[in-house]
Short mmCIF file of all heavy atoms in Angstrom, two decimals:
data_model
loop_
_atom_site.label_atom_id
_atom_site.label_comp_id
_atom_site.label_asym_id
_atom_site.label_seq_id
_atom_site.Cartn_x
_atom_site.Cartn_y
_atom_site.Cartn_z
N VAL A 7 0.87 -1.23 -0.01
CA VAL A 7 0.01 -0.04 -0.06
C VAL A 7 0.91 1.25 -0.02
O VAL A 7 0.46 2.29 0.44
CB VAL A 7 -0.93 0.03 1.18
CG1 VAL A 7 -2.02 -1.02 0.96
CG2 VAL A 7 -0.31 -0.17 2.55
N GLY A 8 2.09 1.14 -0.52
CA GLY A 8 2.90 2.25 -0.70
C GLY A 8 3.62 2.83 0.64
O GLY A 8 3.97 3.97 0.77
N VAL A 9 3.76 1.84 1.63
CA VAL A 9 4.42 2.27 2.90
C VAL A 9 5.75 1.58 3.00
O VAL A 9 5.94 0.43 2.69
CB VAL A 9 3.46 1.86 4.06
CG1 VAL A 9 4.10 2.09 5.41
CG2 VAL A 9 2.20 2.53 4.03
N ASP A 10 6.79 2.39 3.36
CA ASP A 10 8.15 1.97 3.61
C ASP A 10 8.22 1.28 4.95
O ASP A 10 8.03 1.95 5.96
CB ASP A 10 9.10 3.16 3.41
CG ASP A 10 10.45 2.73 3.49
OD1 ASP A 10 10.84 1.57 3.85
OD2 ASP A 10 11.39 3.63 3.26
N SER A 11 8.47 -0.01 4.92
CA SER A 11 8.45 -0.74 6.25
C SER A 11 9.60 -0.49 7.10
O SER A 11 9.68 -0.71 8.32
CB SER A 11 8.34 -2.25 6.02
OG SER A 11 9.49 -2.73 5.24
N ARG A 12 10.71 0.13 6.52
CA ARG A 12 11.99 0.38 7.28
C ARG A 12 11.84 1.24 8.49
O ARG A 12 12.31 0.91 9.52
CB ARG A 12 13.07 0.82 6.32
CG ARG A 12 13.48 -0.21 5.30
CD ARG A 12 14.40 0.36 4.25
NE ARG A 12 13.81 1.48 3.46
CZ ARG A 12 14.42 2.08 2.53
NH1 ARG A 12 15.75 1.84 2.35
NH2 ARG A 12 13.82 3.10 1.89
N PRO A 13 11.13 2.38 8.36
CA PRO A 13 10.87 3.08 9.57
C PRO A 13 10.08 2.44 10.68
O PRO A 13 10.29 2.73 11.87
CB PRO A 13 10.18 4.45 9.10
CG PRO A 13 10.58 4.54 7.61
CD PRO A 13 10.75 3.10 7.18
N LEU A 14 9.15 1.54 10.29
CA LEU A 14 8.41 0.84 11.19
C LEU A 14 9.29 -0.20 11.92
O LEU A 14 9.08 -0.43 13.15
CB LEU A 14 7.26 0.10 10.54
CG LEU A 14 6.30 1.13 9.83
CD1 LEU A 14 5.16 0.29 9.12
CD2 LEU A 14 5.69 2.14 10.82
N VAL A 15 10.23 -0.85 11.16
CA VAL A 15 11.20 -1.65 11.82
C VAL A 15 12.08 -0.86 12.87
O VAL A 15 12.24 -1.31 13.96
CB VAL A 15 12.12 -2.34 10.80
CG1 VAL A 15 13.27 -3.09 11.52
CG2 VAL A 15 11.42 -3.30 9.92
N GLN A 16 12.51 0.27 12.48
CA GLN A 16 13.29 1.17 13.31
C GLN A 16 12.46 1.64 14.59
O GLN A 16 13.00 1.77 15.72
CB GLN A 16 13.77 2.40 12.54
CG GLN A 16 14.69 2.03 11.49
CD GLN A 16 14.94 3.21 10.45
OE1 GLN A 16 14.47 4.25 10.60
NE2 GLN A 16 15.72 2.95 9.42
N LEU A 17 11.16 1.81 14.34
CA LEU A 17 10.33 2.12 15.59
C LEU A 17 10.35 1.09 16.55
O LEU A 17 10.51 1.26 17.76
CB LEU A 17 8.83 2.45 15.10
CG LEU A 17 7.78 2.58 16.07
CD1 LEU A 17 8.09 3.68 17.04
CD2 LEU A 17 6.45 2.68 15.53
N SER A 18 10.17 -0.15 16.12
CA SER A 18 10.08 -1.27 17.04
C SER A 18 11.45 -1.46 17.64
O SER A 18 11.53 -1.79 18.87
CB SER A 18 9.73 -2.57 16.28
OG SER A 18 9.65 -3.60 17.14
N GLU A 19 12.45 -1.30 16.96
CA GLU A 19 13.93 -1.46 17.50
C GLU A 19 14.09 -0.40 18.58
O GLU A 19 14.68 -0.74 19.57
CB GLU A 19 14.89 -1.24 16.40
CG GLU A 19 14.99 -2.41 15.43
CD GLU A 19 15.87 -2.19 14.26
OE1 GLU A 19 16.19 -0.91 14.03
OE2 GLU A 19 16.34 -3.08 13.58
N MET A 20 13.65 0.84 18.36
CA MET A 20 13.75 1.89 19.36
C MET A 20 12.93 1.60 20.60
O MET A 20 13.50 1.73 21.77
CB MET A 20 13.26 3.25 18.79
CG MET A 20 13.26 4.38 19.74
SD MET A 20 11.82 4.61 20.90
CE MET A 20 10.57 4.99 19.66
N ILE A 21 11.86 1.05 20.46
CA ILE A 21 10.98 0.62 21.67
C ILE A 21 11.75 -0.44 22.45
O ILE A 21 11.79 -0.25 23.72
CB ILE A 21 9.62 0.06 21.16
CG1 ILE A 21 8.77 1.18 20.62
CG2 ILE A 21 8.88 -0.64 22.38
CD1 ILE A 21 7.49 0.75 19.99
N ARG A 22 12.38 -1.39 21.79
CA ARG A 22 13.16 -2.37 22.56
C ARG A 22 14.46 -1.82 23.17
O ARG A 22 14.76 -2.09 24.35
CB ARG A 22 13.45 -3.59 21.59
CG ARG A 22 12.28 -4.42 21.23
CD ARG A 22 12.72 -5.74 20.59
NE ARG A 22 13.50 -5.55 19.25
CZ ARG A 22 14.69 -5.77 19.14
NH1 ARG A 22 15.56 -6.17 20.14
NH2 ARG A 22 15.29 -5.58 18.01
N LYS A 23 15.10 -1.04 22.43
CA LYS A 23 16.34 -0.41 22.87
C LYS A 23 16.18 0.39 24.15
O LYS A 23 16.93 0.43 25.10
CB LYS A 23 17.00 0.33 21.75
CG LYS A 23 18.32 0.99 22.21
CD LYS A 23 18.93 1.81 21.00
CE LYS A 23 20.21 2.47 21.46
NZ LYS A 23 20.86 3.25 20.33
N GLU A 24 15.04 1.18 24.10
CA GLU A 24 14.75 2.07 25.26
C GLU A 24 13.96 1.40 26.33
O GLU A 24 13.55 2.04 27.34
CB GLU A 24 14.11 3.35 24.70
CG GLU A 24 14.97 4.17 23.75
CD GLU A 24 14.43 5.52 23.36
OE1 GLU A 24 13.45 6.03 24.00
OE2 GLU A 24 15.02 6.16 22.51
N ASN A 25 13.63 0.22 26.11
CA ASN A 25 12.89 -0.66 27.03
C ASN A 25 11.60 -0.11 27.42
O ASN A 25 11.22 -0.06 28.66
CB ASN A 25 13.78 -0.96 28.36
CG ASN A 25 13.41 -2.23 29.09
OD1 ASN A 25 12.89 -3.11 28.47
ND2 ASN A 25 13.74 -2.26 30.30
N LEU A 26 10.83 0.41 26.48
CA LEU A 26 9.54 1.00 26.73
C LEU A 26 8.48 -0.11 26.93
O LEU A 26 8.46 -1.06 26.14
CB LEU A 26 9.14 2.02 25.60
CG LEU A 26 10.20 3.09 25.32
CD1 LEU A 26 9.67 4.00 24.16
CD2 LEU A 26 10.36 3.99 26.56
N ASP A 27 7.56 0.14 27.80
CA ASP A 27 6.48 -0.79 28.04
C ASP A 27 5.34 -0.44 27.07
O ASP A 27 4.34 0.05 27.43
CB ASP A 27 5.97 -0.74 29.46
CG ASP A 27 4.99 -1.89 29.79
OD1 ASP A 27 4.78 -2.76 28.82
OD2 ASP A 27 4.57 -1.95 30.89
N VAL A 28 5.55 -0.80 25.82
CA VAL A 28 4.55 -0.59 24.69
C VAL A 28 3.91 -1.94 24.51
O VAL A 28 4.52 -2.88 24.01
CB VAL A 28 5.13 0.00 23.47
CG1 VAL A 28 3.97 0.04 22.30
CG2 VAL A 28 5.70 1.38 23.68
N ARG A 29 2.64 -2.09 24.89
CA ARG A 29 2.03 -3.30 24.82
C ARG A 29 1.52 -3.71 23.40
O ARG A 29 1.59 -4.89 22.99
CB ARG A 29 0.71 -3.43 25.80
CG ARG A 29 1.07 -3.68 27.21
CD ARG A 29 1.30 -2.53 28.08
NE ARG A 29 1.77 -2.84 29.40
CZ ARG A 29 0.88 -3.08 30.42
NH1 ARG A 29 -0.47 -2.98 30.21
NH2 ARG A 29 1.34 -3.39 31.60
N SER A 30 0.99 -2.72 22.66
CA SER A 30 0.56 -3.00 21.33
C SER A 30 0.73 -1.71 20.51
O SER A 30 0.77 -0.59 21.06
CB SER A 30 -0.83 -3.39 21.18
OG SER A 30 -1.74 -2.31 21.63
N PHE A 31 1.11 -1.84 19.21
CA PHE A 31 1.23 -0.70 18.24
C PHE A 31 0.78 -1.17 16.96
O PHE A 31 1.37 -2.17 16.38
CB PHE A 31 2.78 -0.34 18.23
CG PHE A 31 2.78 1.14 17.75
CD1 PHE A 31 3.12 2.20 18.55
CD2 PHE A 31 2.75 1.46 16.35
CE1 PHE A 31 3.27 3.47 18.09
CE2 PHE A 31 2.94 2.66 15.85
CZ PHE A 31 3.11 3.73 16.83
N LEU A 32 -0.26 -0.57 16.35
CA LEU A 32 -0.87 -0.96 15.10
C LEU A 32 -0.94 0.22 14.19
O LEU A 32 -1.01 1.37 14.55
CB LEU A 32 -2.32 -1.44 15.34
CG LEU A 32 -2.58 -2.85 15.78
CD1 LEU A 32 -1.95 -3.20 17.17
CD2 LEU A 32 -4.09 -3.10 15.86
N VAL A 33 -0.76 -0.01 12.91
CA VAL A 33 -0.92 0.94 11.80
C VAL A 33 -1.98 0.40 10.81
O VAL A 33 -1.65 -0.84 10.30
CB VAL A 33 0.34 1.37 11.11
CG1 VAL A 33 0.07 2.36 10.05
CG2 VAL A 33 1.44 1.85 12.16
N VAL A 34 -2.97 1.13 10.52
CA VAL A 34 -3.91 0.76 9.48
C VAL A 34 -3.76 1.78 8.41
O VAL A 34 -3.81 3.01 8.59
CB VAL A 34 -5.38 0.79 9.93
CG1 VAL A 34 -6.39 0.48 8.89
CG2 VAL A 34 -5.47 -0.31 11.04
N LYS A 35 -3.66 1.38 7.06
CA LYS A 35 -3.49 2.21 5.91
C LYS A 35 -4.41 1.75 4.82
O LYS A 35 -4.47 0.60 4.47
CB LYS A 35 -2.00 2.14 5.51
CG LYS A 35 -1.76 2.73 4.06
CD LYS A 35 -1.92 4.22 4.05
CE LYS A 35 -1.50 4.71 2.62
NZ LYS A 35 -1.86 6.20 2.49
N ASP A 36 -5.22 2.68 4.35
CA ASP A 36 -6.16 2.32 3.27
C ASP A 36 -7.17 1.27 3.63
O ASP A 36 -7.51 0.38 2.85
CB ASP A 36 -5.46 2.05 1.99
CG ASP A 36 -4.69 3.14 1.37
OD1 ASP A 36 -4.89 4.32 1.82
OD2 ASP A 36 -3.73 2.84 0.51
N GLY A 37 -7.41 1.20 4.96
CA GLY A 37 -8.39 0.23 5.47
C GLY A 37 -7.70 -1.17 5.73
O GLY A 37 -8.45 -2.13 5.99
N LYS A 38 -6.45 -1.26 5.61
CA LYS A 38 -5.71 -2.54 5.77
C LYS A 38 -4.73 -2.52 6.94
O LYS A 38 -4.07 -1.51 7.18
CB LYS A 38 -4.99 -2.85 4.47
CG LYS A 38 -5.90 -3.06 3.23
CD LYS A 38 -5.12 -3.28 1.94
CE LYS A 38 -6.07 -3.36 0.74
NZ LYS A 38 -5.34 -3.61 -0.48
#
């Protein structure tokens, strides 16, 4: 759907690196 997955990978890496208690993180684009 025209989204670059690399920044989303980096987001998850940042959450782990900074040890943040993020239980869920979702992105919906174009209804998907």
Side-chain angles (χ1 to χ4, degrees):
V7 291
V9 176
D10 185 350
S11 63
R12 292 173 297 178
L14 300 178
V15 171
Q16 294 164 4
L17 168 63
S18 182
E19 290 172 342
M20 179 275 290
I21 291 171
R22 290 193 297 109
K23 181 179 179 181
E24 299 189 10
N25 205 25
L26 303 179
D27 190 359
V28 173
R29 277 94 185 273
S30 65
F31 201 102
L32 277 60
V33 179
V34 175
K35 165 68 173 171
D36 295 344
K38 298 176 181 178

